[in-house]
Structure formats: structure tokens, C-alpha cells
């Protein structure tokens, strides 16, 4: 029931490897590693020159040969970074900063560019980040406002489901940002079901969200739908643009229509409570089936293939009950 809207395919898997379709004679022979999946022979070829998808700052600087980041580029809470800094203090390891200082001038890239948080930018402070005005401004101001839209989206009966987002069964999403914060919003399904809100009842910066508890509300005319928070954490930033223009959430639910940036004490624990790519697709398929039954009850039989849903389902089908929709899909009401 789902189809990819982005046809881009990965050409590398794992660290330093590439793959191609092969022939049966390549299984067990040749320089590659041959295996059969679904009746098709695939040959994986090690390639030491390949670049891992999330290379650690220490690797990108050339201070170590290989290390992927498993802490969302949140160096302040990274055990590996702390251990490496201790080795540097003992004179047993060159720091990533010193390694970058040895690079040609044009290759001395800002650490925020290395971690993918901003576009290409040269370092002007010789990697003394504590003295850098931009570094402080970015961490305090720009990081909360700098976000990116999804590049790989599946579509299920007209509803967008992006990859690398984590979903709560109350139709909210969380995306782990570089630096360890989580960006939060309502998903495309809920915003199409309830239609464009007249406003959002959002808490202020500094307030706490509690996982699975009522976190905010969606208003439409005389109706209010409560929404459950997908994670625990403290709100670091509220999207003022959505408060001023609620329709932005409907137009770009996974981009500029985000609602909060949240700091949580344990990012990995928070992510484990939510659905990943495969689970979220299965869940949305099931939610669509429930919605189809509700629509059939008030509007009669759907097309044989179910068709696809457009925006403002509630507004276009007055027979649907707002409170029932909130109970069924937002787990509130």
C-alpha cells in the first residue's frame, strides 16, 4: 500500500563496501562476497575508500582511521569523545582540533559543517571553539531554528511517512537532530484528518513534556483536540511561525511546520519508545484501514482500491465525529 516518492537508492552499505547484482558462479569465488537473497545473487565488495554515512568528527578530522558517530553528534555526552580527550591530555592521542590545524587552509572546515548541521563554512578561530562568537551564537540561537525537510518519503493512501523519523501512536513524530535534540510535530495523517487548525495551544519554552501525557492542543472553530507528547523533555524552542500561521503545519508537517525542539535526558531511550521506519509504515497502513471504515460508515462504500485521501477529511465529511476521531487516532478526547 505504500510507494516511494523518492527514487534515490543507496549505492553503499555498511562501512567501506559496495554491492551489485551478480551471477551464480560468483557465489564462493572472486574478490567479492557473494550471497543469494530472494533468488538474486548479490556481491558485496569491500572498499576501504568508501565514506561511512555518519563519520565521527574525529574520523573526519583525520585523527582516527575509522569511527562512526552513534551519539547523534552530541559530543558533550559522548563517551568516546570523553575517552579520546583523556588520551589527548595524557599525550597518547592527537586531538581532532590539532589534526584539522594540519590541513590546508581551504580544508579547515567548521565543526558544525563536518557534522552536517550547517552548509560548508571555514573555521576562522583555529578550532578554538570556546573563543568563537559564531559557535556560541549557533548553539544558543541558530541550532534550534536550523532544520531540514525529509529526503526519503513513503506515501500510504495519500499520507506521507518520512524515513528516519520516529512516530508515537498518537500521530506525533520526533526527529533526532544533530547535537542530540529532538524536533517534534504532528504527522501528515492527523493534519489531513482534522484539517487546518485555527490555532495550536502550545506550551512555552522551558516547560516539560511528559511521554504519553497531554502536551498541547489543536483548535478548530469550537473544537479542541488534545495531543499526547511523544517523549519526555524540556522545550528548548517553540515554532513561532506555526503559532502565527497554523496552516504551515499542514503544508509542511515534517519541515517548517514543526512545533517544538526538545532536550531529553536520554535520546536513545526516547527513540526506543517510538516506532521506527518499518513499524511506522505498518502502523499507518492499519490506521488507514480504520479511517476507511469510519468514512464508509458516513459516506458509503469507497472505491474498490480505497483510493487516496486528500486534505481536510473532517471538513469534507460532516458526518464524522470530532471526538471519535480524537479518541481513535490521537488517543485523547
Amino acid at each position: 500500500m505504500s510507494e516511494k516518492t523518492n527514487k534515490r537508492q543507496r549505492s553503499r552499505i555498511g562501512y567501506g563496501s559496495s554491492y551489485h547484482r551478480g551471477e551464480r558462479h560468483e557465489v564462493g569465488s572472486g574478490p567479492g562476497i557473494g550471497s543469494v537473497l530472494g533468488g538474486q545473487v548479490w556481491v558485496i565488495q569491500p572498499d576501504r575508500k568508501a565514506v561511512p554515512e555518519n563519520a565521527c568528527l574525529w574520523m573526519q578530522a583525520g585523527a582516527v582511521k575509522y569511527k562512526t558517530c552513534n551519539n547523534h553528534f552530541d559530543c558533550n555526552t559522548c563517551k568516546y569523545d570523553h575517552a579520546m580527550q583523556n588520551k589527548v591530555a595524557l599525550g597518547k592521542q592527537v586531538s581532532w582540533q590539532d589534526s584539522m590545524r594540519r590541513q590546508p587552509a581551504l580544508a579547515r572546515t567548521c565543526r558544525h559543517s563536518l557534522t552536517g548541521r550547517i552548509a560548508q563554512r571555514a573555521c576562522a578561530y583555529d578550532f578554538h571553539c570556546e573563543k568563537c562568537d559564531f559557535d556560541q551564537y549557533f548553539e544558543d540561537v541558530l541550532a534550534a531554528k536550523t532544520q531540514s525537510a525529509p529526503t526519503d518519503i513513503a506515501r500510504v493512501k495519500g499520507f506521507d511517512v518520512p524515513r528516519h523519523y520516529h512516530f508515537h501512536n498518537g500521530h506525533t513524530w520526533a526527529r533526532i537532530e544533530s547535537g542530540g535534540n529532538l524536533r517534534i510535530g504532528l504527522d501528515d495523517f492527523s493534519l489531513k484528518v482534522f484539517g487546518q487548525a485555527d490555532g495550536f495551544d502550545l506550551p512555552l519554552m522551558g516547560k516539560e513534556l511528559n511521554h504519553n501525557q497531554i502536551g498541547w492542543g489543536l483548535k478548530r472553530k469550537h473544537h479542541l483536540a488534545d495531543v499526547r507528547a511523544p517523549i519526555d523533555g524540556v522545550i528548548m524552542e517553540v515554532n513561532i511561525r506555526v503559532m502565527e500561521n497554523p496552516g504551515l503545519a499542514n503544508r509542511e508537517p515534517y519541515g517548517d511546520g514543526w512545533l517544538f525542539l526538545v532536550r531529553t535526558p536520554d535520546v536513545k531511550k526516547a527513540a526506543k519508545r517510538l516506532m521506527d521506519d518499518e513499524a511506522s509504515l505498518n502502523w499507518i497502513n492499519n490506521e488507514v484501514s480504520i479511517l476507511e471504515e469510519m468514512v464508509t460508515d458516513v459516506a458509503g462504500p469507497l472505491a474498490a482500491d480505497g483510493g487516496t485521501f486528500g486534505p481536510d477529511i473532517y471538513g469534507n465529511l460532516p458526518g464524522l465525529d470530532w471526538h471519535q476521531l480524537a479518541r481513535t487516532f490521537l488517543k485523547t478526547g
Side-chain angles (χ1 to χ4, degrees):
M1 294 178 65
S2 64
E3 60 175 311
K4 293 282 186 178
T5 59
N6 186 330
K7 301 299 184 182
R8 178 174 56 84
Q9 302 291 328
R10 293 183 63 189
S11 61
R12 295 195 301 270
I13 56 176
Y15 166 60
S17 60
S18 59
Y19 63 92
H20 66 272
R21 293 176 182 269
E23 304 294 337
R24 289 200 173 274
H25 71 269
E26 294 182 82
V27 178
S29 63
I33 303 170
S35 62
V36 180
L37 295 173
Q40 171 64 53
V41 174
W42 295 93
V43 179
I44 300 174
Q45 176 66 48
D47 178 9
R48 286 290 175 180
K49 295 182 180 179
V51 178
E53 187 174 1
N54 295 307
C56 171
L57 190 63
W58 290 79
M59 179 182 177
Q60 293 192 65
V64 298
K65 289 185 178 180
Y66 173 70
K67 176 68 174 72
T68 58
C69 176
N70 59 1
N71 202 53
H72 315 292
F73 294 110
D74 185 7
C75 299
N76 290 331
T77 65
C78 178
K79 294 180 180 179
Y80 177 83
D81 185 80
H82 293 172
M84 293 296 285
Q85 295 292 359
N86 289 336
K87 291 179 68 175
V88 171
L90 295 172
K92 297 181 179 180
Q93 169 67 44
V94 62
S95 69
W96 72 264
Q97 294 94 333
D98 282 339
S99 184
M100 287 300 295
R101 290 177 187 123
R102 297 172 184 173
Q103 301 288 337
L106 294 178
R108 296 176 186 174
T109 306
C110 171
R111 71 183 180 96
H112 297 302
S113 297
L114 292 176
T115 58
R117 302 174 79 182
I118 61 172
Q120 186 70 14
R121 182 180 188 276
C123 175
Y125 282 82
D126 201 28
F127 297 97
H128 291 290
C129 301
E130 71 281 1
K131 299 179 181 179
C132 177
D133 294 335
F134 174 82
D135 182 83
Q136 192 65 49
Y137 180 70
F138 181 85
E139 294 290 2
D140 292 346
V141 180
L142 291 183
K145 305 180 187 300
T146 303
Q147 55 83 42
S148 59
T151 58
D152 194 353
I153 299 177
R155 177 158 290 183
V156 181
K157 290 295 186 73
F159 301 111
D160 291 340
V161 186
R163 284 176 50 82
H164 307 309
Y165 282 58
H166 298 271
F167 288 85
H168 180 269
N169 66 356
H171 287 278
T172 54
W173 56 263
R175 174 173 174 165
I176 303 173
E177 302 274 313
S178 178
N181 294 324
L182 289 99
R183 204 170 296 272
I184 307 296
L186 280 163
D187 72 356
D188 185 52
F189 182 97
S190 62
L191 291 165
K192 283 179 176 172
V193 167
F194 290 94
Q196 182 172 318
D198 297 323
F200 292 97
D201 184 11
L202 303 179
L204 301 177
M205 289 174 56
K207 296 293 185 179
E208 286 192 31
L209 293 178
N210 296 301
H211 173 255
N212 221 32
Q213 300 300 309
I214 304 300
W216 65 93
L218 178 155
K219 300 176 183 177
R220 181 171 184 181
K221 295 182 179 179
H222 59 283
H223 292 305
L224 173 66
D226 291 323
V227 182
R228 296 190 183 276
I231 63 169
D232 297 317
V234 176
I235 296 175
M236 308 297 292
E237 183 82 8
V238 179
N239 192 349
I240 302 300
R241 293 178 62 197
V242 167
M243 295 182 69
E244 296 173 346
N245 180 13
L248 183 60
N250 293 76
R251 293 193 297 274
E252 299 184 48
Y254 305 114
D256 289 339
W258 60 275
L259 299 180
F260 311 106
L261 188 75
V262 176
R263 186 69 178 178
T264 188
D266 191 332
V267 174
K268 293 178 182 179
K269 180 180 178 181
K272 286 181 179 179
R273 285 176 161 180
L274 305 175
M275 290 174 277
D276 59 12
D277 292 341
E278 182 177 356
S280 62
L281 280 175
N282 293 333
W283 164 69
I284 283 291
N285 272 296
N286 186 61
E287 295 288 87
V288 169
S289 297
I290 295 172
L291 178 62
E292 287 176 335
E293 292 179 7
M294 296 174 70
V295 170
T296 298
D297 288 342
V298 301
L302 300 174
D305 63 354
T308 59
F309 288 97
D312 198 6
I313 295 169
Y314 172 77
N316 289 312
L317 292 172
L320 290 174
D321 182 82
W322 177 277
H323 298 290
Q324 183 185 10
L325 291 171
R327 285 193 301 271
T328 303
F329 299 117
L330 301 182
K331 315 304 179 190
T332 60

